[in-house]
Amino acid sequence: MTAPLNRRHFVLGLLAAPLALRAATAAVEDQHLPPWTPGCLDIHHIATGRGSATLVVMPDGTSMLIDAGATNNALDVSAAPMPDASHRPGEWIARYAQRHLRATGRQQLDYLLVTHIHPDHLGDVNDAAPLSAQGAYRLSGVTDVAELLPVGLLVDRGYPAYDFPLRPGGRYAENYYAFVQSRVQRGLGVAAIRAGSASQLAMRGGSAPFSIRTVAANGEVWTGSGEQAKSMFPPLSSLARADYPDENVCSIALKISLGKFAYFTGGDLTSYTHDGELPWRDVLGAAAKVAGPVNVATADHHGMFDGLSGDVVRALRPQAWVIPSWHLAHPDMLQLERMLSQRLYPGPREVYATSLMAANHLVNRRLTSQLRSRDGHVVVRVAPDGASYTVYVTGNGDEDDRLKWVSRHAS
Ligand SMILES: [Zn+2]
């Protein structure tokens, strides 16, 4: 499939009002993504076609990878692996990180954050996955990344017991627990996320007006005051087993801020309440309300039917949406309708998808034809003072980081 703009096009932005596109004209032909420079905040939505992976480079060069998905789903329902199948998705993610961390002078990840225990966020495992040279687990997703890049602190929602609300099972989960256990035995850092905290995922140094706030985790949502969080979930003893919170509603959500700039991402959080039957499941609604409005947001749960409610869209009202898509069902038609709706919030906005499948484009063409890009890495680069930011789309068919799209915005 082709991107809406090919490399012969020029990218035009308009207007000068705050929260609107600011003048921007850039010929992108044959240009490459400029390297990160100190003071900037980079957020790279890496398009492997096989799950979520987002590299964050903080203003002082501190780095964090959010998820490293690697689904084994077949090509009838999942996008093809990108750039190709010569490496596993986790290896491509590690190579991407190595390439873009070069500018910071440190070839390591300070944090690796796993939003929740699912294969498209941490890596599926089968007999074909090779064994690690470092411990008794197989390589896929986060373990592939950790094999190639030192990881300072691994942070997830369940460490150390992984028993709330129930211990996630399955081969991929057991492989991940073996990886965690191996890290502990080797004296490497592992920590449980703290909902509400703005100090846990801190820069190593530097004095920029920068923070990462954990807005939600395990159903606990930041109250907006101090570092306090409050659980949305009823006591588990009051619920039937079938109604227990699932892995998605336990996802970690973050608000990343630099000066006036703000970004929201919530893993696979959902807002769907079974039409009001289970109102406590709308963790995304509560998280978006306390975090928004923001400049850039991800369409959580990949833009699936149960992600963005109208209230979530109204609360976040970003200038740019990024859909971390990889499956046939990403995104859902109503989710796109909401992202593009001038009724839910007025003004210009851009919508990007990392890997839109051709069949999805066929179904949703009326709306997907309005996407700024349908495949490629989506890189948000925020200027050192946070007053402006640039969205780049780069090709994911190779490792050249060639530009497909550039647009500049005021925060
Ligand atoms: Zn997912």
Side-chain angles (χ1 to χ4, degrees), residues 251-318:
S251 288
I252 296 169
L254 303 177
K255 180 179 183 179
I256 303 179
S257 306
L258 175 59
K260 283 170 63 183
F261 174 88
Y263 168 90
F264 177 85
T265 190
D268 281 2
L269 278 186
T270 57
S271 61
Y272 185 59
T273 61
H274 296 267
D275 298 313
E277 295 295 319
L278 301 170
W280 55 266
R281 287 183 56 94
D282 186 11
V283 177
L284 180 54
K289 194 171 175 189
V290 74
V294 298
N295 302 96
V296 180
T298 54
D300 298 320
H301 198 204
H302 317 281
M304 289 277 277
F305 74 100
D306 52 2
L308 306 172
S309 65
D311 283 342
V312 171
V313 173
R314 281 190 199 95
L316 295 175
R317 52 180 61 227

Side-chain angles (χ1 to χ4, degrees), residues 238-257:
S238 69
L239 295 174
R241 270 294 166 100
D243 287 344
Y244 268 30
D246 61 25
E247 194 59 30
N248 289 341
V249 296
C250 292
S251 288
I252 296 169
L254 303 177
K255 180 179 183 179
I256 303 179
S257 306

Side-chain angles (χ1 to χ4, degrees), residues 51-52 67 115-116 118-121 248 267-268 301-302 324 326 330:
S52 293
D67 292 334
T115 60
H116 63 297
H118 270 168
D120 59 321
H121 296 261
N248 289 341
D268 281 2
H301 198 204
H302 317 281
W326 59 268
H330 305 162

Side-chain angles (χ1 to χ4, degrees), residues 36-119:
W36 172 90
T37 52
C40 285
L41 163 65
D42 275 13
I43 304 171
H44 300 250
H45 305 85
I46 304 171
T48 65
R50 308 304 286 179
S52 293
T54 306
L55 175 67
V56 179
V57 184
M58 305 179 204
D60 70 338
T62 302
S63 60
M64 173 168 71
L65 183 68
I66 305 171
D67 292 334
T71 173
N72 284 338
N73 284 20
L75 290 174
D76 56 346
V77 296
S78 172
M82 295 297 282
D84 57 39
S86 66
H87 293 288
R88 294 181 298 280
E91 293 177 297
W92 285 122
I93 293 164
R95 290 165 66 103
Y96 187 101
Q98 284 169 332
R99 199 160 78 240
H100 291 279
L101 290 177
R102 212 169 284 142
T104 70
R106 294 176 79 243
Q107 283 292 315
Q108 76 159 74
L109 289 166
D110 294 294
Y111 304 99
L112 201 171
L113 180 94
V114 177
T115 60
H116 63 297
I117 315 292
H118 270 168

Side-chain angles (χ1 to χ4, degrees), residues 158-171:
Y159 179 79
Y162 299 97
D163 60 357
F164 177 84
L166 291 170
R167 185 180 171 91
R171 195 169 174 186

